Amino acid sequence: MRKPNAAPAPVSAAWGWRALRTPEALAERLAAGFAPGEKVLVLGTGEFMHPSTLLGAALERHGVDVVVQSTTRSPILTWGAVSHALRFPDNYGEGVANYLYNVAPGQYQHVLLCHETAPNDALHALARQLGARLFHYHLEDDVEEVPVC
């Protein structure tokens, strides 16, 4: 029986209800490869936002001009503040269209696409479209850069 006010059980062995460590070593390595003034987008997939936000914050501490954003399953119209929309297959294999708003191909010099799912055709297609690099998070300190094919 769970004690009152106890933390809920983890969602999975890899991710769940716990504090995540910032990927400082990864951020330091990546930041060394960016020229001053280059714009970098750190893109999380769906609700897999917290690790990508931590990576973006770490890159910013290394002087990188970074924006953090996420894909979504929510369709909206392009008008007003929403000037660009990409529609693409989801990387979770649920058959639900996913979207990315206000990011046009070529807008950023570097796009880092962070995901928790195994690399698949949907991720590779999105990475190619955005000129992105893929980062598969096995755990927060076990991040694999996946070659885009």
Side-chain angles (χ1 to χ4, degrees):
M1 179 174 169
R2 200 172 107 194
K3 295 178 184 177
N5 299 324
V11 174
S12 73
W15 303 104
W17 301 98
R18 60 188 175 88
L20 298 178
R21 291 184 300 273
T22 301
E24 290 295 339
L26 175 62
E28 184 176 2
R29 180 176 59 82
L30 291 171
F34 302 144
E38 288 185 319
K39 293 172 67 175
V40 176
L41 172 65
V42 179
L43 183 62
T45 54
E47 294 181 10
F48 190 68
M49 266 310 296
H50 193 70
S52 54
T53 301
L54 290 175
L55 177 59
L59 287 168
E60 191 171 61
R61 284 191 296 278
H62 286 281
V64 176
D65 181 8
V66 65
V67 172
V68 177
Q69 193 168 329
S70 178
T71 63
T72 182
R73 297 173 6 154
S74 301
I76 60 175
L77 296 174
T78 53
W79 67 281
V82 180
S83 59
H84 194 272
L86 292 175
R87 183 176 191 256
F88 49 92
D90 76 285
N91 59 298
Y92 292 91
E94 298 172 346
V96 177
N98 277 224
Y99 303 89
L100 176 61
Y101 298 108
N102 289 339
V103 174
Q107 181 177 344
Y108 294 91
Q109 281 80 29
H110 304 277
V111 178
L112 312 177
L113 182 52
C114 303
H115 56 96
E116 64 184 330
T117 59
N120 57 37
D121 292 343
L123 285 167
H124 284 278
L126 180 59
R128 284 191 305 273
Q129 189 172 12
L130 296 174
R133 295 164 65 181
L134 289 173
F135 291 89
H136 182 198
Y137 280 70
H138 301 277
L139 294 170
E140 74 247 35
D141 55 356
D142 182 10
V143 182
E144 170 192 14
E145 183 168 0
V146 178
V148 177
C149 52

